[in-house]
Amino acid sequence: MRILVTNDDGIDSPGLLTLAEWVARAGHETVVAAPAEESSGSSAALLAVDEGGRIQMRERGIDGTAAAFAVSATPAFIVLLATRGAFGPPPDVVLSGINRGPNTGAAVLHSGTVGAALTAVANGCPALAVSLDVAPDAEEANWDTAAEVAVGLLPLLTGVFALNVNVPDVEAGALRGIRRAHLSEFGMVQMTLRDQGEGFVRMSLEQVGEVPEPGSDDGWLLDGYAAVTPLFPPGEAADVELPGLVDTAGEHIGG
């Protein structure tokens, strides 16, 4: 397959480079296109730095890849560009990650890693977002464990959907297994108000002390398993009743 590897931590992230290496080693045609600067928390935003309407990108040399680009854009925009042929033929699959830190629960809404994967699906391309449960300031991490899990899950992408994968920061031999999981209520890491004064507020990311619900992505992750959750992009909530409103066919919605 022709696989695009992107992320939201930036082109120089060790997680991105490790994932690209594993994808290339598995025999896939590997193209890397990632933000020139960190874009964490960008969700599926389509933002770019342009000069005269031209989005800036620079070729980079990454061993084993067919091509690599540092792009002055968010990961979702990079994926959109890829599906339009900006980096060669459109990819068959998009892999996003490996993110530094978990992306679990309903908080995936804000993740640039997951936003890139959902943008791929919205444009007809299956995708996988992979994150490693490692502290933001950790000097070393088990990137190879997450990369091995991600590449091993590629055969499951048999339709146009995204897999959100969270992997504990352990050596491959210590991983307890891989489990399908539902999204937890919000996620282990939440944004909290740290400080407030005249004319400013300061936020911080903090780990929630609550015990995660069994079967959730947080629950499996804390138990030492890789958690896998299939996702679709946002769509119509067709089963929601809206009494009194009329659809385009002239029929009342919800009675």
Side-chain angles (χ1 to χ4, degrees):
M1 294 186 292
R2 180 175 171 85
I3 296 181
L4 173 74
V5 180
T6 190
N7 73 345
D8 71 357
D9 289 328
I11 188 72
D12 295 315
S13 164
L16 174 83
L17 300 177
T18 303
L19 183 58
E21 178 184 346
W22 274 79
V23 172
R25 193 188 306 163
H28 301 290
E29 183 182 1
T30 308
V31 176
V32 172
E37 305 291 340
E38 183 175 347
S39 295
S40 296
S42 59
S43 187
L46 300 179
L47 300 174
V49 177
D50 67 83
E51 296 181 7
R54 296 180 177 181
I55 299 171
Q56 302 302 300
M57 60 185 190
R58 300 185 305 276
E59 287 198 54
R60 297 285 292 268
I62 297 179
D63 292 343
T65 63
F69 303 90
V71 188
S72 297
T74 55
F77 205 164
I78 290 171
V79 168
L80 183 64
L81 292 171
T83 63
R84 301 302 191 268
F87 313 113
D92 300 309
V93 171
V94 169
L95 292 187
S96 183
I98 303 165
N99 189 66
R100 180 181 287 274
N103 279 306
T104 58
V108 298
L109 171 68
H110 309 294
S111 165
T113 304
V114 178
L118 293 179
T119 300
V121 173
N123 286 274
C125 184
L128 185 151
V130 56
S131 305
L132 185 66
D133 185 18
V134 59
D137 56 351
E139 294 184 2
E140 297 184 0
N142 290 283
W143 301 112
D144 286 311
T145 303
E148 182 176 3
V149 169
V151 171
L153 290 171
L154 285 176
L156 296 184
L157 291 174
T158 57
V160 183
F161 57 86
L163 291 179
N164 186 43
V165 182
N166 285 278
V167 182
D169 184 23
V170 297
E171 295 183 359
L175 185 66
R176 296 184 66 186
I178 303 174
R179 294 290 185 270
R180 176 168 180 160
H182 63 263
L183 291 177
S184 60
E185 185 174 352
F186 195 82
M188 287 192 299
V189 179
Q190 297 186 18
M191 187 76 74
T192 60
L193 182 64
R194 179 181 175 185
D195 190 14
Q196 185 173 8
E198 185 175 353
F200 79 93
V201 294
R202 182 179 298 153
M203 307 297 289
S204 66
L205 290 172
E206 295 184 5
Q207 189 159 338
V208 179
E210 299 177 3
V211 177
E213 55 188 297
S216 69
D217 45 9
D218 283 334
W220 285 121
L221 190 58
L222 288 178
D223 282 343
Y225 292 86
V228 181
T229 307
L231 300 175
F232 282 122
E236 178 189 1
D239 58 344
V240 174
E241 295 188 0
L242 301 175
L245 295 187
V246 178
D247 67 11
T248 55
E251 299 179 358
H252 284 279
I253 302 174

